[in-house]
Amino acid sequence: MNRFLDQVAVITGAGRGIGKAIALRLASEGARVAVVSRTEANAQSTASEVNALRPESARAYAVDVADSEAVADLCSRIIKDFGKIHVLVNNAGITRDRLSMRMSEEDWNSVLDTNLKGAFHFIQGLERPMMKQSYGRIVNISSVSGLIGQAGQVNYSASKAGLIGLTKALARELAGRNVTVNAVAPGFITTDMTDHLPDAMKTHVLSLIPLAKFGECEDIAGAVAFIASPESKYITGQVLTVDGGMAM
Ligand code: NDP
């Protein structure tokens, strides 16, 4: 399939994990990719892998998505470098898990600023070219934690539920310009983010998953590729949950 031929995709948090798998998947279907990550090294490393797959299709960019001015500058640079933008995947995210009674304001702010405000910054930076060309796909990576809540994650669950509200409101704003906005809500996916969790917690989570296994980054990349493709033209404001049945 070449669903993204002649298209440009901007993917945040693409230095590792789910974002990297999305970058590779969209490139494998023809996209040129702006690989955005917090660290230069990880952004470069993914861009090299994408370029090995599809020569000269990727560029690497390092930014803190929570920094509104830096993101505004970066979006202008990306538009200059690539010309058009067709797909934006807001995937960058962090956790700072603690019970609410022990959670600091810094734990709260850093998670909300990265996961929720970071997406807003990229939307503001890139929605105009999509509107102008009357085509665009915005995909926000939420989480089952935003759907059903998770103890120890009031900050993270709030940020991911917030992304769902943002998705629906923005879908209504941009529908008239043929720009769709959807969320993908992963369940438990094996990445650096989940690696460090205690074994007892992993066993407990596994018991809640009807398909009885953790997901892989490629499971999310496949769902994003569909919802970000021209094929999904009649779907907007939706949450596609990819979680082995955990949150049904
Ligand atoms: P990882 O921790 O493996 O990777 C996170 C990525 O986000 C990294 O590339 C990191 O950059 C980037 N990032 C983090 N903070 C910033 C920032 N401030 N500015 C720019 N980039 C940043 O996470 P996953 O791949 O597991 O998760 C990806 C997304 O999926 C997240 O939004 C997460 O909340 C969501 N998700 C994950 C689940 C899971 O089970 N893994 C479940 C549900 C949702 P760098 O590499 O440069 O450090």
Side-chain angles (χ1 to χ4, degrees), residues 13-18 37-39 42 63-65 91-94 114 141-143 156 160 186-189 191-194:
R16 329 178 240 138
I18 291 170
S37 213
R38 184 172 35 193
T39 62
N42 288 354
V63 80
D64 177 354
V65 298
N91 165 80
I94 56 168
T114 302
I141 305 300
S142 178
S143 166
Y156 184 78
K160 294 300 186 178
F188 192 107
I189 311 299
T191 67
D192 292 349
M193 185 177 272
T194 46

Side-chain angles (χ1 to χ4, degrees), residues 200-210 212-214 246:
M201 182 184 267
K202 288 184 186 169
T203 307
H204 171 65
V205 172
L206 197 55
S207 74
L208 303 174
I209 303 174
K213 58 186 169 205
F214 296 137
M246 190 178 172

Side-chain angles (χ1 to χ4, degrees), residues 8 14 24 62-63 65 76 84-85 96 118-119 140 158 199 216 220 241:
V8 175
L24 287 165
V63 80
V65 298
S76 303
K84 292 186 167 186
I85 309 295
R96 294 280 181 275
N140 297 314
D199 284 345
E216 295 167 3
I220 307 306
T241 305

Side-chain angles (χ1 to χ4, degrees), residues 151-206:
Q153 291 196 321
V154 295
N155 51 358
Y156 184 78
S157 296
S159 73
K160 294 300 186 178
L163 275 175
I164 292 172
L166 179 158
T167 295
K168 290 172 190 257
L170 189 66
R172 292 186 191 277
E173 284 188 17
L174 301 186
R177 301 298 189 105
N178 196 33
V179 176
T180 67
V181 189
N182 291 288
V184 169
F188 192 107
I189 311 299
T190 307
T191 67
D192 292 349
M193 185 177 272
T194 46
D195 249 12
H196 69 278
L197 294 171
D199 284 345
M201 182 184 267
K202 288 184 186 169
T203 307
H204 171 65
V205 172
L206 197 55

Side-chain angles (χ1 to χ4, degrees), residues 4-228:
F4 299 99
L5 209 59
D6 299 326
Q7 292 200 10
V8 175
V10 178
I11 302 157
T12 71
R16 329 178 240 138
I18 291 170
K20 178 177 174 172
I22 295 168
L24 287 165
R25 176 63 190 260
L26 299 196
S28 78
E29 293 200 38
R32 289 190 294 140
V33 182
V35 173
V36 179
S37 213
R38 184 172 35 193
T39 62
E40 182 79 41
N42 288 354
Q44 287 292 354
S45 153
T46 297
S48 301
E49 279 192 50
V50 172
N51 283 328
L53 191 72
R54 198 175 188 86
E56 293 181 35
S57 64
R59 280 174 183 250
Y61 303 90
V63 80
D64 177 354
V65 298
D67 182 338
S68 59
E69 279 183 27
V71 172
D73 288 349
L74 180 66
C75 288
S76 303
R77 220 175 108 205
I78 292 174
I79 293 167
K80 231 182 241 159
D81 288 348
F82 285 91
K84 292 186 167 186
I85 309 295
H86 303 85
V87 176
L88 165 64
V89 183
N90 283 308
N91 165 80
I94 56 168
T95 50
R96 294 280 181 275
D97 296 354
R98 247 178 263 302
L99 290 175
S100 60
M101 67 179 83
R102 295 203 195 100
M103 188 172 285
S104 68
E105 196 169 343
E106 161 60 18
D107 292 331
W108 174 270
N109 285 342
S110 59
V111 169
L112 270 290
D113 286 353
T114 302
N115 299 5
L116 184 55
K117 249 167 117 181
F120 172 62
H121 294 152
F122 270 88
I123 287 161
Q124 280 208 314
L126 297 175
E127 64 188 337
R128 277 190 184 82
M130 292 187 184
M131 290 165 77
K132 251 192 209 158
Q133 73 197 1
S134 290
Y135 182 88
R137 297 278 184 270
I138 297 174
V139 183
N140 297 314
I141 305 300
S142 178
S143 166
V144 288
S145 295
L147 291 170
I148 60 174
Q150 178 66 44
Q153 291 196 321
V154 295
N155 51 358
Y156 184 78
S157 296
S159 73
K160 294 300 186 178
L163 275 175
I164 292 172
L166 179 158
T167 295
K168 290 172 190 257
L170 189 66
R172 292 186 191 277
E173 284 188 17
L174 301 186
R177 301 298 189 105
N178 196 33
V179 176
T180 67
V181 189
N182 291 288
V184 169
F188 192 107
I189 311 299
T190 307
T191 67
D192 292 349
M193 185 177 272
T194 46
D195 249 12
H196 69 278
L197 294 171
D199 284 345
M201 182 184 267
K202 288 184 186 169
T203 307
H204 171 65
V205 172
L206 197 55
S207 74
L208 303 174
I209 303 174
L211 285 177
K213 58 186 169 205
F214 296 137
E216 295 167 3
C217 293
E218 290 69 26
D219 296 322
I220 307 306
V224 171
F226 165 66
I227 210 85

